[in-house]
Amino acid sequence: MERLVVLITGCSSGIGLSLAVRLAADPRGAYKVYATMRNVAKKERLMECVKGSRKDTMDVLQMDVTDQQSILEARDMIKEKRVDILVCNAGVGLIGPLEVQSLEVMRQILEVNVLGTIRTIQAFLPGMKARRSGRVLVTGSVGGLQGLPFNEVYCASKFAVEGVCESLAILLQHFNIHVSLIECGPVNTNFLANLRRPEPDEETLTRVDPRTRALYDTYLQHCDEMFQDAAQEAEDIAEVFLEAIRSQSPALRYYTNSALLPLTTLKLAARDGSQYVKSMSQFVFSSHKAQEP
């Protein structure tokens, strides 16, 4: 049986690591996994997790999705000279009042989340088209389906990814290539720890009005509660990826957390959006009443 070749971005931790381990440990040996990461010095945890698995089921490659040459070099190192399943998982987060976000930081977010995803797909799409076969799976977010306060730039990047994937899905069905978005809510990974955000006591926030600072503080408390109450484990998200990979007729979207669907449904149902905005505001800010300045 010829193994399916899978390339995954962002495998140093979290969802990418969990998915790479699950596929590499497949008891049938059905997959050859190329686990990529920007900094291969961080591969130790991944290698520890696959200890005991077949040694020929996974290779680790250096790949920076913000560097076109890095992507092409990784592609050229694939022994099979093809990728059957491409998983675009690399991503970064950014929260905080929009007024304090620098242009440089905002560009970095867009470079990774939007252009990084596009660059990666560009590199492997011609081969899939030529073979008339392939799967493209992208780590989406509830922040790509609905706006979240203090996440304006992150949501913009994820909304853009949704548009890219929807557009490609229409075209690529004519090449027998399936595109799927795995829509995640809060996940217990290093994503939150690595999230770029100003803390409430940072000097940068002194440029922001007191009311916004109070709401931001409330939002941070809300985030902490959400991660305590609703966050999923990376292994659970990997299971949803596996569902999409194994499906003979994969869907465009897979939702990992049903607890977040009501607000998404409300947004789609609201004609002018005003009811959704009110409901989202109550959902985020009602649990901790921000003090008036």
Side-chain angles (χ1 to χ4, degrees):
M1 180 182 69
E2 188 176 44
R3 293 185 295 182
L4 293 172
V5 179
V6 186
L7 184 138
I8 309 171
T9 67
C11 290
S12 62
S13 64
I15 297 170
L17 184 149
S18 293
L19 180 60
V21 170
R22 288 291 300 276
L23 292 173
D26 180 79
R28 302 167 299 159
Y31 305 98
K32 172 58 181 292
V33 179
Y34 288 90
T36 76
M37 57 190 71
R38 183 178 60 85
N39 183 2
V40 292
K42 296 182 177 181
K43 70 178 181 179
E44 286 79 7
R45 182 182 172 196
L46 174 61
M47 301 310 295
E48 182 66 26
C49 290
V50 295
K51 187 182 294 184
S53 300
R54 288 176 48 176
K55 294 182 179 179
D56 63 343
T57 58
M58 190 179 74
D59 287 343
V60 177
L61 299 179
Q62 192 280 331
M63 187 170 125
D64 181 353
V65 300
T66 68
D67 183 342
Q68 182 73 17
Q69 187 59 34
S70 174
I71 297 172
L72 297 179
E73 289 175 358
R75 182 192 64 185
D76 293 343
M77 292 181 69
I78 296 173
K79 300 182 181 79
E80 295 81 0
K81 302 303 177 185
R82 76 177 196 280
V83 167
D84 301 304
I85 302 169
L86 176 63
V87 180
C88 297
N89 169 69
V92 290
L94 174 71
I95 67 172
L98 187 63
E99 302 95 307
V100 306
Q101 309 296 3
S102 70
L103 188 58
E104 178 184 0
V105 169
M106 291 189 287
R107 281 176 173 157
Q108 290 172 357
I109 300 302
L110 298 174
E111 274 288 336
V112 175
N113 294 356
V114 184
L115 296 179
T117 299
I118 292 173
R119 285 191 195 96
T120 304
I121 294 174
Q122 279 181 322
F124 296 96
L125 193 56
M128 289 184 175
K129 283 184 172 181
R131 293 189 302 276
R132 294 294 194 271
S133 176
R135 300 281 182 94
V136 178
L137 289 83
V138 178
T139 301
S141 168
V142 66
L145 302 172
Q146 57 190 46
L148 303 171
F150 301 111
N151 282 264
E152 295 82 7
V153 177
Y154 174 74
C155 286
S157 72
K158 286 304 195 177
F159 266 71
V161 168
E162 295 284 326
V164 169
C165 292
E166 281 191 14
S167 300
L168 282 173
I170 297 168
L171 170 67
L172 295 182
Q173 64 177 334
H174 297 282
F175 295 85
N176 193 34
I177 300 170
H178 298 278
V179 178
S180 295
L181 284 149
I182 312 302
E183 310 289 12
C184 305
V187 185
N188 284 320
T189 68
N190 287 343
F191 183 85
L192 186 62
N194 296 330
L195 190 67
R196 300 188 182 191
R197 71 182 194 184
E199 297 300 334
D201 58 349
E202 284 190 21
E203 185 178 350
T204 54
L205 287 177
T206 60
R207 304 197 303 266
V208 181
D209 64 274
R211 179 59 173 156
T212 299
R213 292 201 304 270
L215 289 169
Y216 179 55
D217 185 53
T218 299
Y219 178 75
L220 292 180
Q221 296 177 59
H222 168 80
C223 286
D224 289 341
E225 286 191 352
M226 283 291 294
F227 268 82
Q228 290 175 8
D229 298 339
Q232 297 174 285
E233 297 302 324
E235 291 78 9
D236 298 327
I237 308 300
E239 189 62 40
V240 180
F241 273 93
L242 289 171
E243 178 187 349
I245 289 171
R246 293 166 178 162
S247 174
Q248 295 299 310
S249 182
L252 174 60
R253 287 187 175 87
Y254 290 82
Y255 300 93
T256 69
N257 194 332
S258 60
L260 299 174
L261 286 178
L263 283 171
T264 303
T265 303
L266 175 61
K267 179 181 178 181
L268 294 173
R271 290 186 177 181
D272 62 1
S274 59
Q275 184 57 46
Y276 164 74
V277 170
K278 291 178 182 178
S279 297
M280 175 59 80
S281 183
Q282 292 171 356
F283 174 68
V284 173
F285 297 119
S286 63
S287 60
H288 291 90
K289 180 64 176 176
Q291 295 182 353
E292 296 287 346

